[in-house]
């Protein structure tokens, strides 16, 4: 068979292996960029899909389905935004805070940083100060973290409430279906 014999050629295996190795190198070299772009495209897809399904559920007067679609889109998008924002804040000083301060044309005060080391090491709010007046963490970042965390919590709570409501309604309908008309309770 010509199809099978063509797969046994070593040059085709080398070509496929080389392509796979190049793809691996590209993913390793641009892994963070690839992950962010893929996640952003997935987030846009989720929001558009949820909006379309939510709109059709509202037209059909199914409020619970519309809330579920909105919550299911909110959870991954807000989680992604929270993680990206947090990484921006954590890595705001890069590997060398002193060099980052110089790039921003700010004075690096080692004495101030040593006195306030616990402030720079906290999980929240994020700070990475060059001196008492300048923070490398953008001013928008800490409020954005709070907003994305609240959206994430709201989405999770909404999904839980809709799921509990759905299961209770299904259980009540199931019990009503199985009840016999003349049975004594």
């Amino acid at each position: 068979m010509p199809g099978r014999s063509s797969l046994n050629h070593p040059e085709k295996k080398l070509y496929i292996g080389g392509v796979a190795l190049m793809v691996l190198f590209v993913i390793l070299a641009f892994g963070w960029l690839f992950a962010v772009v893929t996640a952003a495209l997935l987030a846009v897809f989720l929001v558009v899909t949820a909006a379309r399904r939510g709109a059709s559920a509202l037209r059909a007067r199914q409020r619970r389905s519309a809330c579920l679609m909105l919550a299911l889109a909110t959870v991954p998008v807000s989680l992604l935004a929270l993680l990206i924002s947090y990484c921006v804040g954590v890595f705001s000083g890069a590997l060398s805070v002193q060099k980052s301060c110089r790039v921003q044309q700010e004075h690096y005060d080692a004495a101030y940083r040593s006195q306030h080391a616990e402030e720079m090491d906290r999980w929240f709010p994020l700070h990475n100060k060059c001196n008492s007046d300048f923070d490398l963490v953008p001013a928008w970042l800490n409020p954005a973290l709070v907003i994305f965390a609240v959206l994430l919590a709201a989405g999770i709570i909404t999904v839980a409430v809709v799921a509990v409501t759905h299961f209770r309604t299904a259980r009540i309908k199931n019990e009503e279906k199985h009840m016999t008309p003349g049975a004594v309770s």
Side-chain angles (χ1 to χ4, degrees), residues 6-29:
S6 65
L7 289 177
N8 291 329
H9 293 293
E11 60 272 2
K12 288 196 177 200
K13 289 181 183 178
L14 285 174
Y15 174 75
I16 292 171
V19 168
L21 190 61
M22 286 187 338
V23 168
L24 179 66
F25 283 140
V26 167
I27 289 173
L28 290 176

Side-chain angles (χ1 to χ4, degrees), residues 55-74:
S56 65
L58 281 176
R59 279 190 295 256
R61 298 183 191 266
Q62 297 173 341
R63 187 177 300 159
R64 192 180 325 146
S65 295
C67 287
L68 183 62
M69 287 299 122
L70 181 62
L72 286 175
T74 302

Side-chain angles (χ1 to χ4, degrees), residues 43-55:
V44 168
F45 173 74
L46 284 171
V47 169
V48 168
T49 302
R52 293 173 103 193
R53 289 188 180 176

